[in-house]
Amino acid sequence: MTKISLVKCDDYSKADNAVREAVNLIGGVSVFVRPSERILIKPNLLSPKDPSKAVTTHPEIVRAVIRLVKEVGAVPLVGDSPGGAIRDIKNLWKVTLMEKICVEENVKLVNFEAAGSKEFDIGDKNIKKVNFSNAVLDCDGIVNLPKLKTHMLMSFSAGVKNLYGCVPGLMKVEYHKYASKNKEFADFLSKIYLFFKDKIRFTLVDGILSMEGNGPSAGDIRKTNLIAASSDAAILDAYLLNELNYNISDSDLLKNLKITKDIFNKIELAGEPSKNFNFKNFRFPNLRKLDLLPRFIVRILGKLLWMKVDINKKMCVKCMLCIRACPIGAIRHKSNAHPYVYAKKCISCFCCHEMCPSKAVGFKKSILAKIFIKDS
Ligand code: SF4
Ligand code: SF4
């Protein structure tokens, strides 16, 4: 049986008690962490956003876990590698308040890029060698602290997806070039997860503020008031998705990890019943609906059914992060003009959508796509 705990928490000022309860309900921190071990606490630090935006794991969740790890005599470290286009790590630490809490708790923040990396063959058919940061490789164990969010390419981002941050810097962008489609990226992510699985001591999901709609950075904030924990990140993801009314058999990521609905018979739940959380009508990205249309419909309608990435000039602040985020150079710009997407080259990886700080990257839809895919 896999234990999953669900704890209700309506405000980050109460995170310390809620996190403690969630970890106690799956056995307590001493079951997962031993004295003197170097434990990497890995939040989701996608981009330099204030914690109230629900893009990154909230610092009070990180603080609570730091304290738990210290209580058993282990040495906590905190770190994550942000989206590939983000270069100023010090600014990211400052804006996400990671620097503040790490100073206050006297804990080292590790820079995944500066730590160097090593190459591995993880058995992916598209990407022969994958680099992982030494900051992750050198620790004794990982406490995985994802944010509960939707994701344009994968539909959702939680425990398994959070491990993609173990790939340092621009390499994340590079790998998207070879794994740009949902199935390929799901395959790649599942292999990364399996590579680190034994090192993950437990996963604790920050779902006090979650993100629905077109995440992982441009979606809408949803107050789900949830802290969830488990020793198994993939099973926890599957459970939460199911409770959010997402059909887990539509997830290539979970399929790769051989997680089906049968797994729900092997879960031992503790804490609050899931009906007590604000999960009803949680919205997933609308683009994935196109992927899920029956193949015969897609075949018949062919080229009349499309969605294309598009930049909204009114919202664009010309930061040019999307250009750095695009793995194949499909975004161009002339002198001081707004960037634009060269549609023929675009491979629909949505890295630009993920990195845009001002929600200026959206989608154009064909008339038929508008009929089949209503905005979520
Ligand atoms: S589309 Fe977004 S990321 Fe690209 S330049 Fe405009 S604001 Fe920056
Ligand atoms: S334009 Fe955006 S979606 Fe298209 S390939 Fe570049 S980053 Fe990916």
Side-chain angles (χ1 to χ4, degrees):
M1 296 294 264
T2 303
K3 282 188 183 168
I4 289 181
S5 64
L6 305 178
V7 172
K8 208 161 178 182
C9 182
D10 62 3
D11 195 286
Y12 284 104
S13 63
K14 303 172 193 165
D16 195 65
N17 280 340
V19 166
R20 188 173 293 272
E21 190 185 343
V23 176
N24 282 342
L25 286 170
I26 57 168
V29 67
S30 58
V31 167
F32 304 107
V33 177
R34 286 176 287 280
S36 308
E37 285 187 321
R38 294 174 80 246
I39 299 294
L40 176 71
I41 297 173
K42 196 207 163 293
N44 178 335
L45 300 180
L46 174 65
S47 55
K49 291 280 183 189
D50 182 273
S52 62
K53 305 292 181 203
V55 173
T56 51
T57 305
H58 197 281
E60 290 306 327
I61 301 284
V62 179
R63 189 200 297 277
V65 174
I66 288 174
R67 289 178 177 174
L68 284 180
V69 170
K70 277 186 175 175
E71 275 173 24
V72 290
V75 182
L77 311 159
V78 174
D80 185 26
S81 171
I86 308 291
R87 286 183 184 152
D88 189 347
I89 191 83
K90 293 220 164 115
N91 181 51
L92 175 111
W93 289 344
K94 196 169 171 204
V95 177
T96 56
L97 302 186
M98 285 302 134
E99 185 180 71
K100 178 176 180 288
I101 60 127
C102 285
V103 168
E104 287 170 2
E105 299 298 322
N106 194 22
V107 165
K108 190 176 171 196
L109 252 171
V110 284
N111 182 335
F112 279 22
E113 283 68 39
S117 62
K118 287 190 189 72
E119 265 187 356
F120 294 88
D121 179 351
I122 59 170
D124 189 80
K125 63 178 185 302
N126 297 309
I127 302 161
K128 297 298 169 208
K129 296 271 186 250
V130 184
N131 279 72
F132 295 122
S133 171
N134 288 333
V136 191
L137 299 168
D138 293 346
C139 70
D140 295 310
I142 301 167
V143 174
N144 187 25
L145 295 188
K147 188 83 179 164
L148 183 62
K149 297 191 289 182
T150 51
H151 191 277
M152 287 299 286
L153 189 59
M154 300 311 305
S155 296
F156 67 99
S157 169
V160 175
K161 171 71 179 61
N162 199 35
L163 275 301
Y164 197 46
C166 300
V167 173
L170 274 175
M171 286 169 195
K172 281 196 285 294
V173 174
E174 181 69 15
Y175 298 152
H176 267 288
K177 203 191 291 182
Y178 306 103
S180 63
K181 298 286 172 255
N182 176 283
K183 277 190 172 30
E184 295 160 346
F185 196 54
D187 206 28
F188 186 45
L189 279 183
S190 52
K191 290 198 167 76
I192 291 178
Y193 170 66
L194 293 174
F195 184 86
F196 286 110
K197 189 171 186 265
D198 292 341
K199 213 165 182 173
I200 303 171
R201 299 305 173 82
F202 64 89
T203 293
L204 184 133
V205 175
D206 170 11
I208 295 179
L209 291 182
S210 305
M211 180 171 283
E212 63 179 348
N214 290 335
S217 59
D220 302 309
I221 299 168
R222 161 76 80 113
K223 205 165 182 300
T224 35
N225 295 336
L226 168 81
I227 303 277
S230 178
S231 58
D232 192 308
I235 294 177
L236 181 57
D237 283 4
Y239 174 78
L240 292 176
L241 272 178
N242 189 59
E243 295 307 308
L244 291 166
N245 208 19
Y246 184 95
N247 183 357
I248 66 159
S249 51
D250 288 338
S251 164
D252 290 314
L253 186 53
L254 295 174
K255 246 183 254 171
N256 286 341
L257 294 169
K258 301 193 174 23
I259 293 183
T260 63
K261 288 184 178 171
D262 293 345
I263 208 85
F264 299 137
N265 301 322
K266 295 175 191 154
I267 288 175
E268 187 185 322
L269 286 168
E272 200 88 22
S274 73
K275 65 177 170 47
N276 290 0
F277 296 91
N278 180 22
F279 289 164
K280 207 171 167 206
N281 300 325
F282 190 89
R283 291 175 299 115
F284 286 89
N286 51 20
L287 182 103
R288 187 78 174 108
K289 293 173 195 162
L290 200 61
D291 271 357
L292 297 175
L293 282 175
R295 288 294 94 192
F296 78 92
I297 291 188
V298 176
R299 258 196 315 274
I300 292 166
L301 301 176
K303 290 184 176 169
L304 299 173
L305 199 58
W306 52 261
M307 275 178 86
K308 290 178 183 163
V309 179
D310 189 37
I311 292 174
N312 181 331
K313 288 184 187 160
K314 286 190 186 136
M315 293 167 83
C316 173
V317 295
K318 297 187 190 170
C319 67
M320 304 305 165
L321 270 181
C322 53
I323 294 182
R324 286 218 296 276
C326 181
I328 44 115
I331 305 184
R332 299 168 183 186
H333 82 117
K334 290 183 190 135
S335 60
N336 203 26
H338 291 94
Y340 64 94
V341 178
Y342 183 54
K344 279 192 181 152
K345 223 178 159 198
C346 175
I347 52 172
S348 301
C349 65
F350 310 121
C351 293
C352 51
H353 178 270
E354 189 168 320
M355 279 297 106
C356 177
S358 55
K359 300 190 180 184
V361 178
F363 301 92
K364 275 194 293 203
K365 286 186 249 179
S366 68
I367 293 170
L368 274 182
K370 280 183 191 160
I371 295 168
F372 280 103
I373 306 163
K374 305 280 177 232
D375 282 333
S376 57

